[in-house]
Amino acid sequence: MKRKPVSLGKVELDQPLMTASGTAGYGAEFADYFGLHDLGAVVTKSVAHFEWPGNRAPRLHPTKSGMLNSVGLQGSGVDHFIEHDLPALERAGAKVVPSIWGHSVDDYRVVTEKLAEVADRIAAIEVNLSCPNLGGDHTMFAHDSRLAGQIIEQCERFGVPLWAKLSPNTDLLVDIARAVLAAGSQALTLVNTVSGMAIDIGTGRPTLGTGRGGLSGPAIRPIAVRCIYDVRAALPNAKIIGVGGVVDAESAVELMMAGADAVQVGTATFADPKAPAKILKALNKWADRRGITDWSQVTSAAHRA
Ligand code: RRO
């Protein structure tokens, strides 16, 4: 059954499912496993306007119901992305959404300015305001509504649609969501990973090189559902992209019913690189069986029940 595209501000997606930033490389790595053009979009690993080495190893630690990471934004920078990764994604037919990061408001502005030069080759920019693994002496941008708003305001001027990726590690989520929407973000991506830690009981030391990391996977799905639900309740007209523990059609539907217009699949790709395509297929079957003609019938259903 054909359904209406999902509208996220100026961006329309043929399908309500995409990759989550950071978990599918820069995207084209997955072209051998499934057709990237079949997904709503491919959201790439966050890039800055500079090269960045990332955090010390170990950077990944599997948990019983998810994964801890402390990659620390390793990347070759936006020039490399535009020269090498973007063409590969285009060859695969993907709708491309680069994710960006920086240490300062100005860093975000500079990387956006560079991506604006290839605006006709990308669908939107996901502004990652919520990496839990950055360290440094400033607060996380997504925990400060003034700073988060300033970043969106500076980036919005270049005319590329922006999606702000926010943090579950704050009780200010709704305030931050309001601030970034007021500053011009067209959608919210909810949520980044949950701050966590694991100890190796043999050595008595933290398992990750940096101690803390970001917890993802099914363990955080109830947190993602709560965050999406709260923001949807406060902001009925916001465009929301849900992310956190989507592993099958049912978990995608759960995030949508909480209020998400579309969802992203992240940690599930570590267990099965074909997970985004398989989950999307199952999600469409789920909708076909119920005679769903428009994804908006699913989005926010929990608020109407
Ligand atoms: O690179 C990372 O360590 C990382 C990022 Br940018 C992010 O947004 N979320 C996360 O859990 N890890």
Side-chain angles (χ1 to χ4, degrees), residues 45-46 69-74 128 130-133 165 192-193 214:
K45 190 165 156 48
S46 301
N69 88 83
S70 177
V71 175
L73 296 136
Q74 182 190 346
N128 186 358
S130 49
C131 175
N133 300 325
K165 186 163 182 179
N192 211 314
T193 53

Side-chain angles (χ1 to χ4, degrees), residues 68-90:
L68 277 165
N69 88 83
S70 177
V71 175
L73 296 136
Q74 182 190 346
S76 307
V78 70
D79 294 331
H80 184 277
F81 171 79
I82 291 171
E83 194 180 336
H84 299 283
D85 302 300
L86 183 55
L89 285 160
E90 288 174 305

Side-chain angles (χ1 to χ4, degrees), residues 117-129:
E117 288 168 19
V118 292
D120 55 334
R121 298 163 65 191
I122 60 179
I125 294 174
E126 188 171 85
V127 184
N128 186 358
L129 301 170

Side-chain angles (χ1 to χ4, degrees), residues 105 129 139-154 172 175-176 178-180 183:
V105 176
L129 301 170
T139 176
M140 188 193 282
F141 298 117
H143 292 180
D144 181 322
S145 53
R146 192 184 55 85
L147 270 178
Q150 271 179 18
I151 290 172
I152 297 298
E153 221 170 80
Q154 288 295 317
L172 298 175
D175 293 340
I176 313 283
R178 270 205 191 91
V180 294

